[in-house]
Amino acid sequence: MMPRPAAFLDRDGTLVEDPGFQRDPAGVRLLPGAATAVLRLNAAGIVVVVVTNQSGIARGFITEAEYAAVERRIGELFALEGGRIDATYHCPHYPEVGGPCECRKPGTLLYRRAASDLDLDLGASWGVGDRISDLE
C-alpha cells in the first residue's frame, strides 16, 4: 500500500464543543461545520485522524473508560452525518503529574504511531486545531 495523506484533527474545540474534561457521552456536541468538513475529507480520500491531549485522565478528572465512551459517541455522531473518523490517538498524561512524555502535543509520538499504523505520508499530511500550542 502507498503511504496516504492524513488530516490530523484536534478533538476538543475543533470537532466538538469543549466543556472541559468531557466525561458524559450524552453531553457531546459536534461543532457547526465539523461533520461537513469530515465528510469532505472522507470524500477526498484523506485519512481522518484525531489526536488529542486528555490530561484529565492523569489528573483524575476522567477515567480511561469515560474517555472511551465519549470517543464512541463522537464516532456515532459523525456516522449519523455520514462521516468517518478513521482513527483516534490520545495522550492521557499531564507533565505536572507524571513528568514530560513524547505523546503530549506538540510531541510527535502519536503522529508517528498513526503514520506507522495507517501507512500515512506525514509529509503530505497536515494538522488542524484550536490552539497554536498543539502544533508549535
Side-chain angles (χ1 to χ4, degrees):
M1 183 184 290
M2 292 282 295
R4 307 168 291 165
F8 290 96
L9 309 177
D10 183 42
R11 188 186 90 170
D12 303 320
T14 302
L15 294 174
V16 299
E17 291 179 1
D18 186 0
F21 308 113
Q22 178 66 269
R23 55 192 294 185
D24 180 8
V28 175
R29 304 282 179 267
L30 297 182
L31 286 173
T36 301
V38 167
L39 274 165
R40 292 179 77 181
L41 290 166
N42 294 154
I46 307 295
V47 179
V48 177
V49 180
V50 173
V51 177
T52 180
N53 289 337
Q54 294 296 316
S55 68
I57 296 169
R59 295 195 252 181
F61 299 145
I62 64 173
T63 66
E64 283 281 355
E66 290 167 330
Y67 165 80
V70 167
E71 283 308 311
R72 280 191 301 277
R73 180 63 181 152
I74 291 170
E76 291 167 0
L77 291 173
F78 277 102
L80 286 171
E81 299 291 330
R84 178 187 73 254
I85 303 293
D86 295 298
T88 299
Y89 294 81
H90 75 286
C91 172
H93 308 114
Y94 188 59
E96 284 80 1
V97 173
C101 66
E102 287 187 61
C103 62
R104 183 172 176 79
K105 293 183 298 182
T108 61
L109 180 63
L110 298 180
Y111 299 92
R112 290 182 281 130
R113 261 191 207 148
S116 175
D117 293 348
L118 304 170
D119 198 28
L120 303 177
D121 180 352
L122 291 177
S125 300
W126 66 95
V128 178
D130 63 328
R131 296 187 181 153
I132 193 71
S133 61
D134 286 342
L135 302 173
E136 287 185 317

